[in-house]
Amino acid sequence: MNNNKYKILLVEDEVNIQTFVAALLEANDYQVILAQSYLSAKIMYASHIPDLVILDLGLPDRDGTVFLRELRQKELTPVIVLSARSDEKEKVRALDLGANDYITKPFGSAELLARIRSSLRMFRHSSNEGKLPGGKFTLGELSIDYDARRIWIGGEEIKLTQTEYNIVAFLSEHCGKVMPYSAIIKAVWRESPDESSIKKLQVNMANIRKKFGAQPGEGSYIVNELGVGYRMDGDQ
Ligand code: CA
């Protein structure tokens, strides 16, 4: 018996999806707590204090975003939103409300498990690893010295412009979480996002990827979530 199992609260009213996801999680050694509505999610959260929440947005009593907003007023517990909506605005809205990630139905088992691992790792990063004492960050071969504003991969220093550094540092501070374009633009350029600033971000990101030695289609620490934003992730 493994007492260190991660506890996952699965909030989903569709029986088929609930059964499928619960079986998948249990088969992968997670402990699963179930809720079928906004109200039961609140009760189950308070009584079990899960390590991660998988949250359907279309719940019978309230919208899932209500639960998310209330949770974020006091907790940093990772939340992965399950959405039937392929609309990018919905995803961005959930991310802006504090979701760590989203997955659009129908989704594959491997994809969901990868996103769970990534969100749990992010949470460990933000709570005790990642940012090491002395303003340092490490993720696999990547390391960042925030005080010196310098970055290395595998011991080799990567020379970035100030803007490129600011983008990478911002993503590292939110490691594992999908950061919408708007959030990155506000943090780096202190301006409201529009088409030209998104373009500017994409150009900078292309340069960062080149300097990181990423091959086309490869993540290399920064994953492009098409049409939504970017995520720093070591699981690749
Ligand atoms: Ca639903």
Side-chain angles (χ1 to χ4, degrees):
M1 177 67 196
N2 178 3
N3 292 318
N4 294 319
K5 277 187 182 183
Y6 281 112
K7 253 190 273 182
I8 298 181
L9 173 61
L10 172 59
V11 188
E12 170 62 81
D13 61 311
E14 285 166 62
V15 178
N16 290 344
I17 297 177
Q18 192 187 77
T19 309
F20 160 71
V21 174
L24 174 69
L25 297 181
E26 278 163 1
N28 284 275
D29 217 25
Y30 294 108
Q31 185 188 339
V32 185
I33 299 141
L34 297 174
Q36 294 79 17
S37 64
Y38 160 81
L39 192 62
S40 63
K42 286 199 70 141
I43 293 166
M44 297 313 267
Y45 187 94
S47 50
H48 294 275
I49 315 292
D51 299 296
L52 180 139
V53 180
I54 298 174
L55 178 67
D56 177 34
L57 290 183
L59 297 173
D61 48 354
R62 303 289 291 275
D63 195 283
T65 54
V66 177
F67 177 83
L68 176 59
R69 195 183 305 117
E70 290 174 357
L71 180 69
R72 276 294 170 267
Q73 288 169 1
K74 46 189 191 329
E75 306 280 359
L76 290 170
T77 312
V79 175
I80 298 174
V81 162
L82 281 186
S83 171
R85 311 163 199 193
S86 55
D87 185 354
E88 277 148 14
K89 281 198 182 114
E90 279 296 329
K91 295 172 186 168
V92 170
R93 182 158 174 261
L95 293 167
D96 283 343
L97 284 172
N100 297 74
D101 207 343
Y102 61 86
I103 188 163
T104 309
K105 299 173 191 174
F107 50 84
S109 313
E111 190 188 358
L112 178 61
L113 291 171
R115 286 175 188 257
I116 290 171
R117 285 196 301 273
S118 174
S119 285
L120 286 170
R121 186 171 39 241
M122 179 284 298
F123 192 52
R124 290 201 305 274
H125 264 289
S126 57
S127 37
N128 52 29
E129 288 176 19
K131 276 190 178 176
L132 303 172
K136 299 237 180 11
F137 170 91
T138 58
L139 178 68
E141 302 262 281
L142 173 73
S143 61
I144 302 176
D145 182 331
Y146 292 118
D147 297 334
R149 297 173 61 83
R150 294 169 73 187
I151 294 184
W152 296 262
I153 293 180
E156 189 184 334
E157 183 163 11
I158 309 295
K159 292 285 187 190
L160 299 178
T161 65
Q162 290 300 314
T163 301
E164 290 162 4
Y165 171 85
N166 290 340
I167 294 169
V168 174
F170 180 71
L171 291 175
S172 73
E173 284 163 9
H174 301 88
C175 186
K177 184 179 187 313
V178 180
M179 299 310 291
Y181 301 129
S182 57
I184 304 171
I185 289 161
K186 276 183 210 151
V188 172
W189 285 282
R190 315 228 169 262
E191 62 187 38
S192 312
D194 58 16
E195 241 168 69
S196 78
S197 55
I198 290 176
K199 190 82 209 149
K200 193 160 60 176
L201 172 60
Q202 288 168 335
V203 169
N204 274 278
M205 201 57 86
N207 291 333
I208 292 168
R209 286 172 52 79
K210 216 178 290 168
K211 291 179 182 181
F212 275 24
Q215 300 300 312
E218 245 182 38
S220 196
Y221 296 105
I222 297 172
V223 181
N224 185 6
E225 301 284 351
L226 277 180
V228 177
Y230 295 96
R231 175 226 318 259
M232 182 168 281
D233 194 349
D235 189 23
Q236 43 200 300

